[in-house]
C-alpha cells in the first residue's frame, strides 16, 4: 500500500504538444504561391504566435497515446445505469460512412436525396411500430430535447382546446433530472409524486394531485429503479381521467423492445434515445438523437418538417419522398433534420440488422443479465427494492459499521478494470449504485464484475483505506471532481508568458 497516489496527482507527467515542439520541424510544406503576394497590414499580424512545431507522425502519435487513457465501451465493461452503454456494432460505422449518406447536404433538392429520405421515412415507421405510436419526428438532438419537444406538444394540445389553466406537471421522485428541467423550461409547475414501498408510483398521492390544472405526468417505465411499475395502466388512467396527458421517458426502452409498446399502455408521447437503445455511440462519442413518438390526436402538433411519401409508387416508378409540415406544428426544434448520419443511419442499421425477433432478444437478454448480476450481489449489497428487475438494478453502496460510501466503491472498481456504475441516482436511494450491464456482455464478464463487487465489500470492512484512497491503478489518483467541474482549465499547455508574446 506504499504506492498510494496523492490526491489527483498524475503518476507519470505526460509531455504536452508544446514540450514535443522543435523549431523548424513541420508537418506540411506549402508550395510557392503562383499568384501575386499581398501583405497584410502590420497591425493585423501577430509577431509571435506560439504554435507547436511537429511532424505529422509526432502529432498522430501524441494524440493516439493520449486517447488510450480513455475508458470506453470498446475497452471494457461499462455498467453506467440509465445510460445503456451497450457495445456499438461496427457495421453501423460502415453504413454511416457510405458516400451517399456522408456527402449529401440538407439543402439539396429532394429528387437528389431520395435514398436518405427513404431511410428517414422507414425509421419513422419502425419507431412507430416499436413504440406503438401514430407518428414520429426524428428531429430532436437528444433525450432531453425530445422531452422538451414532447412537453411543448402537450401544452399546445391543451391550449388548442382552450385548456389554458393546465400548468402543473406531475413527476415521480425517481425521475431523471431532465424531466423536471424540461417541464420548468416550459414554465410549468413541477409537482413531485412519491414512490411507494415497492418502487411504484404512489397511486394515492397521484390521485390527490390530479385535477384540471394538471397538464400531464412524466413517467419513466421501467423507472430509474429498474422496476416495471406494477400499476402503470392504472396510473395512466388516473391522469387521463382528469384530462391530463402522459409523457413517457423512453430512455429505458432497452427493457421493452418487442415485448411492450408504450403506446399500447396509454402513453401519449415519448422520446426514444437512439444513442442508448439503438446503439448510437454516446458519452463523448458523438451526436445524440431523441426522436419523439405521439398518438394520433397529437400528430398534428409534431415539429416540422416530417418525411412523408409525396407521390405513391406507381408500377415500376418508385415513390417520391419529401417533407410535410403538420397542421398545428410546434415548429422546428433543430436545424435541418436531426443528426442524420451519426444518429439516424446508425440506428436504422441496428434495427435492420436485428429485425423484430432480434429486438425482442435484446430486451430479454438485457433483463436477464441485470437479474443475474442482482442475484449474484444480493447477499453482499443491500438491494432496497428487491424484486425482479428490468434492464438495471440499484444496490446501496454502504455497509453497516463502515464509513465507505458509493463513491469509494466506484473508484475501487476502476482498480479492477471496470467503469463504475452510476452513483447517487436515483436520489431516493441512499448511496445508490445504479448498475446496467446491457445485453451485450457475456456471463464471464458479469461474473468478473460480481466477483469484484463482492471482493470490494470485503475490503470495505477489512481494509477501508484501500477504498478511501482508490483508484490506485489509474493514471491519476482520486480527483477533486467539484474543483475540476467548477474551475475548468482548458489551456494548461499555453506558455506562461503567452499574453506577452502576442501583439
Ligand atoms: C439519458 C436519460 C435521459 C436524457 O437523455 P439525453 O439523451 O441524455 O438527453 C432522460 N431520462 C432518462 C431516464 C435517461 O436515462
Amino acid at each position: 500500500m506504499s504506492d498510494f497516489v496523492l490526491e489527483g496527482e498524475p503518476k507519470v507527467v505526460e509531455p504536452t504538444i508544446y514540450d514535443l515542439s522543435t523549431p523548424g520541424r513541420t508537418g506540411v510544406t506549402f508550395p510557392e504561391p503562383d499568384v501575386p503576394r499581398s501583405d497584410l497590414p502590420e497591425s493585423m499580424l501577430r509577431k509571435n504566435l506560439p504554435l507547436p512545431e511537429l511532424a505529422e507522425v509526432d502529432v498522430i502519435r501524441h494524440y493516439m497515446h493520449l486517447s488510450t487513457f480513455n475508458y470506453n465501451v470498446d475497452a471494457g465493461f461499462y455498467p453506467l445505469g440509465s445510460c445503456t452503454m451497450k457495445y456499438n456494432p461496427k457495421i453501423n460505422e460502415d453504413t454511416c460512412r457510405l458516400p451517399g449518406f456522408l456527402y449529401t447536404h440538407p439543402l439539396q433538392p429532394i429528387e437528389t436525396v431520395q435514398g436518405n429520405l427513404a431511410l428517414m421515412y422507414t425509421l419513422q415507421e419502425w419507431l412507430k411500430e416499436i413504440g406503438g405510436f401514430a407518428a414520429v419526428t426524428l428531429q430532436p438532438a437528444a433525450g432531453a430535447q425530445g422531452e422538451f419537444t414532447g412537453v411543448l406538444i402537450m401544452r399546445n394540445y391543451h391550449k388548442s382546446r382552450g385548456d389554458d389553466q393546465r400548468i402543473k406537471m406531475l413527476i415521480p421522485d425517481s425521475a431523471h433530472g431532465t424531466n423536471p428541467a424540461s417541464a420548468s423550461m416550459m414554465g410549468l409547475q413541477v409537482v413531485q409524486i412519491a414512490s411507494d414501498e415497492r418502487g411504484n408510483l404512489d397511486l394515492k398521492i397521484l390521485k390527490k394531485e390530479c385535477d384540471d390544472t394538471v397538464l400531464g405526468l412524466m413517467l419513466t417505465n421501467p423507472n430509474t429503479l429498474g422496476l416495471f411499475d406494477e400499476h402503470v395502466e392504472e396510473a395512466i388512467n388516473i391522469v387521463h381521467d382528469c384530462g391530463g396527458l402522459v409523457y413517457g421517458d423512453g430512455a429505458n426502452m432497452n427493457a421493452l423492445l418487442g415485448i411492450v409498446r408504450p403506446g399500447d399502455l396509454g402513453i401519449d408521447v415519448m422520446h426514444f434515445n437512439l444513442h442508448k437503445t439503438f446503439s448510437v455511440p454516446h458519452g463523448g462519442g458523438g451526436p445524440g438523437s431523441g426522436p419523439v413518438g405521439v398518438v394520433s390526436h397529437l400528430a398534428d402538433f409534431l415539429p416540422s418538417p416530417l418525411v412523408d411519401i409525396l407521390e405513391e409508387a406507381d408500377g415500376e416508378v418508385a415513390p417520391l419522398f419529401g417533407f410535410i409540415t403538420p397542421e398545428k406544428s410546434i415548429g422546428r426544434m433543430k436545424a435541418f433534420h436531426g443528426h442524420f448520419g451519426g444518429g439516424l443511419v446508425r440506428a436504422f442499421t441496428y434495427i435492420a440488422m436485428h429485425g423484430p425477433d432480434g429486438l425482442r432478444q435484446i430486451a430479454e437478454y438485457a433483463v436477464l443479465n441485470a437479474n443475474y448480476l442482482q442475484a449474484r450481489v444480493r447477499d453482499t449489497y443491500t438491494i432496497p427494492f428487491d424484486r425482479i428487475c428490468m434492464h438495471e438494478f440499484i444496490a446501496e453502496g454502504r455497509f453497516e459499521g463502515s464509513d465507505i460510501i458509493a463513491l469509494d466503491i466506484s473508484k475501487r472498481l476502476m482498480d479492477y478494470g471496470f467503469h463504475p456504475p452510476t452513483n447517487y441516482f436515483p436520489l431516493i436511494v441512499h448511496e445508490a449504485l445504479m448498475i446496467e450491464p446491457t445485453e451485450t456482455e457475456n456471463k464471464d464478464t458479469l461474473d468478473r464484475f460480481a466477483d469484484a463487487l463482492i471482493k470490494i465489500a470485503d475490503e470495505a470492512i477489512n481494509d477501508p483505506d484501500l477504498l478511501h484512497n482508490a483508484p490506485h491503478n489509474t493514471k491519476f489518483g482520486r480527483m477533486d471532481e467539484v474543483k475540476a467541474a467548477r474551475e475548468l482549465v482548458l489551456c494548461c499547455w499555453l506558455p506562461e508568458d503567452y499574453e506577452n508574446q502576442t501583439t
Side-chain angles (χ1 to χ4, degrees):
M1 284 200 281
S2 56
D3 59 344
F4 277 165
V5 180
L6 295 176
E7 278 205 340
E9 191 177 287
K11 288 179 177 161
V12 180
V13 179
E14 298 289 337
T16 69
I17 196 105
Y18 282 90
D19 298 326
L20 299 172
S21 173
T22 305
R25 199 169 277 173
T26 168
V28 59
T29 323
F30 292 106
E32 277 303 303
D34 56 0
V35 290
R37 275 190 113 94
S38 113
D39 288 331
L40 289 171
E42 191 71 4
S43 63
M44 287 177 70
L45 293 176
R46 276 186 177 184
K47 299 235 170 46
N48 218 340
L49 193 60
L51 292 176
E53 297 176 72
L54 295 94
E56 179 177 322
V57 62
D58 301 326
V59 176
I60 292 291
R61 285 187 183 152
H62 177 68
Y63 285 111
M64 205 59 184
H65 175 62
L66 293 183
S67 79
T68 63
F69 300 2
N70 275 339
Y71 193 93
N72 54 78
V73 77
D74 288 347
F77 187 43
Y78 208 133
L80 196 64
S82 210
C83 295
T84 313
M85 304 301 287
K86 61 171 70 180
Y87 171 71
N88 315 128
K90 295 300 167 259
I91 189 174
N92 297 355
E93 305 309 306
D94 293 340
T95 53
C96 78
R97 284 171 178 77
L98 287 172
F101 294 136
L102 196 58
Y103 298 120
T104 44
H105 190 281
L107 293 179
Q108 271 180 239
I110 58 165
E111 292 76 15
T112 67
V113 287
Q114 283 296 300
N116 298 20
L117 294 176
L119 180 140
M120 291 172 75
Y121 179 81
T122 309
L123 185 57
Q124 286 174 187
E125 293 297 301
W126 286 348
L127 292 176
K128 276 160 64 174
E129 176 66 24
I130 291 167
F133 294 110
V136 164
T137 170
L138 302 174
Q139 235 179 63
Q145 206 197 10
E147 290 171 28
F148 187 72
T149 304
V151 177
L152 194 54
I153 290 172
M154 289 159 74
R155 192 195 64 175
N156 282 22
Y157 168 80
H158 287 306
K159 285 206 157 169
S160 76
R161 293 153 44 93
D163 239 357
D164 290 328
Q165 79 292 355
R166 295 189 180 269
I167 48 152
K168 284 200 298 204
M169 185 63 94
L170 312 181
I171 301 182
D173 58 3
S174 60
H176 193 270
T178 49
N179 291 188
S182 303
S184 26
M185 270 179 74
M186 214 66 247
L188 299 175
Q189 200 182 313
V190 173
V191 179
Q192 185 169 300
I193 307 291
S195 307
D196 66 18
E197 66 285 351
R198 283 185 63 78
N200 297 315
L201 200 57
D202 192 318
L203 293 184
K204 280 199 291 301
I205 299 177
L206 181 68
K207 260 190 206 133
K208 223 171 76 212
E209 292 294 345
C210 272
D211 57 31
D212 68 356
T213 64
V214 166
L215 188 124
L217 165 74
M218 291 182 90
L219 187 68
T220 315
N221 190 43
N223 62 24
T224 61
L225 298 165
L227 302 174
F228 196 92
D229 196 298
E230 294 164 307
H231 318 290
V232 62
E233 285 171 301
E234 216 177 322
I236 291 170
N237 287 339
I238 291 171
V239 177
H240 283 166
D241 285 347
C242 75
L245 293 169
V246 180
Y247 183 91
D249 180 329
N252 293 343
M253 269 306 283
N254 217 43
L256 305 183
L257 287 177
I259 301 172
V260 174
R261 303 197 316 163
D264 295 342
L265 293 177
I267 302 268
D268 298 293
V269 44
M270 185 189 89
H271 77 261
F272 298 83
N273 293 65
L274 298 190
H275 49 288
K276 293 180 182 171
T277 315
F278 299 102
S279 82
V280 172
H282 63 299
S289 187
V292 170
V294 293
V295 292
S296 56
H297 54 276
L298 298 179
D300 268 354
F301 296 87
L302 281 174
S304 70
L306 299 175
V307 181
D308 205 352
I309 296 177
L310 300 187
E311 290 167 26
E312 291 291 343
D314 185 6
E316 295 283 283
V317 182
L320 178 72
F321 293 96
F323 296 111
I324 59 160
T325 296
E327 210 175 303
K328 300 171 191 156
S329 175
I330 57 168
R332 203 177 249 296
M333 295 305 292
K334 171 98 181 69
F336 301 120
H337 313 299
H339 290 145
F340 175 74
L344 308 184
V345 177
R346 283 175 170 141
F348 176 94
T349 308
Y350 184 74
I351 297 172
M353 290 300 291
H354 283 87
D357 294 343
L359 289 184
R360 188 185 167 102
Q361 268 181 0
I362 288 167
E364 287 170 349
Y365 282 110
V367 172
L368 180 63
N369 278 0
N371 277 285
Y372 178 72
L373 257 188
Q374 180 174 251
R376 279 227 45 205
V377 303
R378 172 178 282 138
D379 293 339
T380 316
Y381 288 81
T382 303
I383 310 287
F385 298 92
D386 195 358
R387 58 178 168 101
I388 298 278
C389 66
M390 293 291 112
H391 63 306
E392 62 194 356
F393 70 97
I394 314 284
E396 286 184 14
R398 55 176 185 168
F399 306 99
E400 222 166 277
S402 158
D403 64 350
I404 290 302
I405 57 173
L407 184 76
D408 299 326
I409 295 169
S410 287
K411 296 297 181 194
R412 184 63 181 146
L413 273 168
M414 295 165 79
D415 285 334
Y416 287 91
F418 296 110
H419 192 285
T422 298
N423 283 192
Y424 303 111
F425 172 63
L427 304 173
I428 55 174
V429 174
H430 295 291
E431 299 299 328
L433 292 168
M434 184 190 213
I435 301 172
E436 179 179 9
T438 84
E439 74 285 1
T440 58
E441 301 303 328
N442 62 31
K443 182 168 173 294
D444 298 342
T445 304
L446 301 181
D447 279 329
R448 275 195 303 114
F449 183 70
D451 290 345
L453 276 177
I454 292 165
K455 185 126 188 289
I456 290 170
D458 180 62
E459 292 170 350
I461 304 297
N462 296 314
D463 193 358
D465 274 350
L466 198 56
L467 272 68
H468 288 141
N469 299 313
H472 307 285
N473 303 335
T474 48
K475 295 267 176 202
F476 286 80
R478 181 80 64 102
M479 299 278 184
D480 183 341
E481 291 171 8
V482 175
K483 190 175 158 86
R486 298 236 168 105
E487 296 169 35
L488 200 59
V489 182
L490 291 174
C491 304
C492 55
W493 62 83
L494 283 181
E496 269 174 24
D497 55 347
Y498 173 71
E499 288 304 325
N500 302 334
Q501 290 193 22
T502 58
T503 55

mmCIF file of all heavy atoms in Angstrom, residues 272-286:
data_model
loop_
_atom_site.group_PDB
_atom_site.id
_atom_site.type_symbol
_atom_site.label_atom_id
_atom_site.label_comp_id
_atom_site.label_asym_id
_atom_site.label_seq_id
_atom_site.Cartn_x
_atom_site.Cartn_y
_atom_site.Cartn_z
ATOM 1 N N PHE A 272 -37.475 8.474 -27.794
ATOM 2 C CA PHE A 272 -36.549 7.337 -27.837
ATOM 3 C C PHE A 272 -35.146 7.929 -27.686
ATOM 4 O O PHE A 272 -34.884 9.022 -28.178
ATOM 5 C CB PHE A 272 -36.600 6.644 -29.207
ATOM 6 C CG PHE A 272 -37.928 6.044 -29.564
ATOM 7 C CD1 PHE A 272 -38.950 6.815 -30.118
ATOM 8 C CD2 PHE A 272 -38.154 4.685 -29.373
ATOM 9 C CE1 PHE A 272 -40.162 6.253 -30.471
ATOM 10 C CE2 PHE A 272 -39.374 4.115 -29.729
ATOM 11 C CZ PHE A 272 -40.381 4.900 -30.280
ATOM 12 N N ASN A 273 -34.243 7.193 -27.052
ATOM 13 C CA ASN A 273 -32.835 7.598 -27.078
ATOM 14 C C ASN A 273 -32.128 6.653 -28.057
ATOM 15 O O ASN A 273 -31.746 5.553 -27.684
ATOM 16 C CB ASN A 273 -32.184 7.477 -25.702
ATOM 17 C CG ASN A 273 -32.750 8.461 -24.703
ATOM 18 O OD1 ASN A 273 -33.928 8.372 -24.348
ATOM 19 N ND2 ASN A 273 -31.948 9.402 -24.254
ATOM 20 N N LEU A 274 -31.965 7.111 -29.298
ATOM 21 C CA LEU A 274 -31.290 6.240 -30.275
ATOM 22 C C LEU A 274 -29.880 5.925 -29.797
ATOM 23 O O LEU A 274 -29.339 4.866 -30.101
ATOM 24 C CB LEU A 274 -31.237 6.907 -31.652
ATOM 25 C CG LEU A 274 -32.579 7.228 -32.315
ATOM 26 C CD1 LEU A 274 -32.357 7.659 -33.765
ATOM 27 C CD2 LEU A 274 -33.548 6.042 -32.258
ATOM 28 N N HIS A 275 -29.284 6.874 -29.046
ATOM 29 C CA HIS A 275 -27.917 6.675 -28.557
ATOM 30 C C HIS A 275 -27.881 5.813 -27.305
ATOM 31 O O HIS A 275 -26.835 5.646 -26.711
ATOM 32 C CB HIS A 275 -27.246 8.026 -28.314
ATOM 33 C CG HIS A 275 -28.088 8.958 -27.504
ATOM 34 N ND1 HIS A 275 -29.207 9.556 -28.015
ATOM 35 C CD2 HIS A 275 -27.998 9.370 -26.232
ATOM 36 C CE1 HIS A 275 -29.752 10.310 -27.084
ATOM 37 N NE2 HIS A 275 -29.047 10.203 -25.989
ATOM 38 N N LYS A 276 -28.986 5.311 -26.852
ATOM 39 C CA LYS A 276 -28.944 4.305 -25.788
ATOM 40 C C LYS A 276 -29.453 2.993 -26.375
ATOM 41 O O LYS A 276 -28.700 2.092 -26.679
ATOM 42 C CB LYS A 276 -29.806 4.740 -24.597
ATOM 43 C CG LYS A 276 -29.250 5.961 -23.892
ATOM 44 C CD LYS A 276 -30.096 6.417 -22.706
ATOM 45 C CE LYS A 276 -29.482 7.674 -22.095
ATOM 46 N NZ LYS A 276 -30.353 8.279 -21.086
ATOM 47 N N THR A 277 -30.768 2.933 -26.587
ATOM 48 C CA THR A 277 -31.396 1.684 -27.012
ATOM 49 C C THR A 277 -30.863 1.173 -28.351
ATOM 50 O O THR A 277 -30.740 -0.036 -28.556
ATOM 51 C CB THR A 277 -32.914 1.906 -27.135
ATOM 52 O OG1 THR A 277 -33.354 2.618 -25.977
ATOM 53 C CG2 THR A 277 -33.653 0.599 -27.236
ATOM 54 N N PHE A 278 -30.595 2.073 -29.285
ATOM 55 C CA PHE A 278 -30.299 1.630 -30.653
ATOM 56 C C PHE A 278 -28.825 1.813 -31.030
ATOM 57 O O PHE A 278 -28.504 2.043 -32.198
ATOM 58 C CB PHE A 278 -31.258 2.313 -31.636
ATOM 59 C CG PHE A 278 -32.701 1.972 -31.359
ATOM 60 C CD1 PHE A 278 -33.530 2.862 -30.704
ATOM 61 C CD2 PHE A 278 -33.217 0.725 -31.713
ATOM 62 C CE1 PHE A 278 -34.856 2.542 -30.407
ATOM 63 C CE2 PHE A 278 -34.542 0.390 -31.417
ATOM 64 C CZ PHE A 278 -35.367 1.297 -30.764
ATOM 65 N N SER A 279 -27.966 1.737 -30.041
ATOM 66 C CA SER A 279 -26.516 1.546 -30.221
ATOM 67 C C SER A 279 -25.772 2.674 -30.921
ATOM 68 O O SER A 279 -24.690 2.458 -31.442
ATOM 69 C CB SER A 279 -26.229 0.219 -30.952
ATOM 70 O OG SER A 279 -26.360 0.345 -32.348
ATOM 71 N N VAL A 280 -26.345 3.872 -30.925
ATOM 72 C CA VAL A 280 -25.592 5.017 -31.443
ATOM 73 C C VAL A 280 -24.593 5.420 -30.344
ATOM 74 O O VAL A 280 -24.982 5.551 -29.188
ATOM 75 C CB VAL A 280 -26.544 6.177 -31.785
ATOM 76 C CG1 VAL A 280 -25.769 7.435 -32.135
ATOM 77 C CG2 VAL A 280 -27.475 5.769 -32.915
ATOM 78 N N PRO A 281 -23.306 5.578 -30.668
ATOM 79 C CA PRO A 281 -22.322 5.871 -29.621
ATOM 80 C C PRO A 281 -22.641 7.164 -28.883
ATOM 81 O O PRO A 281 -23.126 8.117 -29.483
ATOM 82 C CB PRO A 281 -21.001 6.026 -30.387
ATOM 83 C CG PRO A 281 -21.247 5.540 -31.750
ATOM 84 C CD PRO A 281 -22.709 5.586 -32.011
ATOM 85 N N HIS A 282 -22.369 7.187 -27.578
ATOM 86 C CA HIS A 282 -22.572 8.437 -26.838
ATOM 87 C C HIS A 282 -21.608 8.507 -25.672
ATOM 88 O O HIS A 282 -20.808 7.613 -25.462
ATOM 89 C CB HIS A 282 -24.021 8.600 -26.386
ATOM 90 C CG HIS A 282 -24.504 7.559 -25.422
ATOM 91 N ND1 HIS A 282 -24.544 6.223 -25.722
ATOM 92 C CD2 HIS A 282 -25.005 7.665 -24.175
ATOM 93 C CE1 HIS A 282 -25.055 5.560 -24.694
ATOM 94 N NE2 HIS A 282 -25.327 6.403 -23.733
ATOM 95 N N GLY A 283 -21.708 9.602 -24.929
ATOM 96 C CA GLY A 283 -20.778 9.809 -23.842
ATOM 97 C C GLY A 283 -19.453 10.262 -24.402
ATOM 98 O O GLY A 283 -18.440 9.585 -24.265
ATOM 99 N N GLY A 284 -19.419 11.368 -25.098
ATOM 100 C CA GLY A 284 -18.213 11.843 -25.741
ATOM 101 C C GLY A 284 -18.027 11.222 -27.110
ATOM 102 O O GLY A 284 -17.168 11.617 -27.871
ATOM 103 N N GLY A 285 -18.865 10.240 -27.431
ATOM 104 C CA GLY A 285 -18.707 9.512 -28.688
ATOM 105 C C GLY A 285 -19.482 10.106 -29.839
ATOM 106 O O GLY A 285 -19.427 9.589 -30.948
ATOM 107 N N GLY A 286 -20.239 11.163 -29.583
ATOM 108 C CA GLY A 286 -20.869 11.792 -30.712
ATOM 109 C C GLY A 286 -22.355 11.767 -30.686
ATOM 110 O O GLY A 286 -22.905 11.186 -29.788
#
